Amino acid sequence: MSRMIFVNLPVTDLAKSMSFYTSLGFKNNPQFTDDTAACMVWSEAIYVMLLTHAKWRQFTSRPIPPATSSEVMLTLSCDSREAVDAMNKAAAANGGTPDINPMQDLGFMYNRSLTDPNGHIWEAVWMNPAAVPSDDQTR
């Protein structure tokens, strides 16, 4: 079995959050979706589980941080600069906040940060694989 990541996020409005993530390009997996949780698929290895606060509390008694906190920033790779821009634009049009951090353009790497409607921070990044230094060049 290949390695996978399941990012679990507490959300206040499950339907609104599902709509938001769909607008970014995630697909819903109805097999793991009900009235308390939704499985949103980014790739064969990356899944985001959107959990109502009641469902979240079944997994941990730790408090849900306020939407203004920055406990983690999750980064998704995109196929192009245009895809990075499109994700940021979709976030703005669907209840998220675009460009919460300054855009970064290093030539070989381009990224923009956004939040979902619950304040979870995401970064969309494109990197030119031909411009990434090899191991020999970094030593």
Side-chain angles (χ1 to χ4, degrees), residues 26-42:
F26 286 76
K27 304 287 186 226
N28 177 251
N29 180 339
Q31 184 178 5
F32 298 106
T33 299
D34 61 21
D35 292 340
T36 65
C39 178
M40 304 301 290
V41 181
W42 178 253

Side-chain angles (χ1 to χ4, degrees), residues 40-113:
M40 304 301 290
V41 181
W42 178 253
S43 72
E44 291 180 14
I46 302 171
Y47 299 80
V48 173
M49 295 300 300
L50 305 173
L51 308 172
T52 63
H53 285 198
K55 184 73 163 187
W56 177 267
R57 288 185 181 100
Q58 291 177 7
F59 296 101
T60 182
S61 61
R62 294 184 62 158
I64 296 170
T68 56
S69 70
S70 297
E71 78 276 9
V72 67
M73 182 181 337
L74 304 162
T75 303
L76 296 170
S77 63
C78 296
D79 293 331
S80 66
R81 290 171 173 266
E82 294 78 19
V84 169
D85 292 338
M87 185 178 287
N88 214 275
K89 185 176 179 180
N94 290 279
T97 304
D99 293 319
I100 60 154
N101 296 316
M103 177 185 66
Q104 188 175 49
D105 188 348
L106 302 175
F108 71 96
M109 185 172 71
Y110 177 70
N111 65 284
R112 295 175 76 177
S113 299

Side-chain angles (χ1 to χ4, degrees), residues 118-135:
N118 293 279
H120 302 295
I121 303 171
W122 289 90
E123 182 177 66
V125 65
W126 167 82
M127 195 175 332
N128 179 354
V132 176
S134 68
D135 285 342

Side-chain angles (χ1 to χ4, degrees), residues 2-49:
S2 63
R3 293 181 184 233
M4 301 160 62
I5 183 169
F6 293 85
V7 177
N8 295 276
L9 299 174
V11 301
T12 55
D13 183 327
L14 186 58
K16 181 177 181 179
S17 294
M18 289 176 68
S19 177
F20 175 84
Y21 282 93
T22 299
S23 78
L24 297 186
F26 286 76
K27 304 287 186 226
N28 177 251
N29 180 339
Q31 184 178 5
F32 298 106
T33 299
D34 61 21
D35 292 340
T36 65
C39 178
M40 304 301 290
V41 181
W42 178 253
S43 72
E44 291 180 14
I46 302 171
Y47 299 80
V48 173
M49 295 300 300

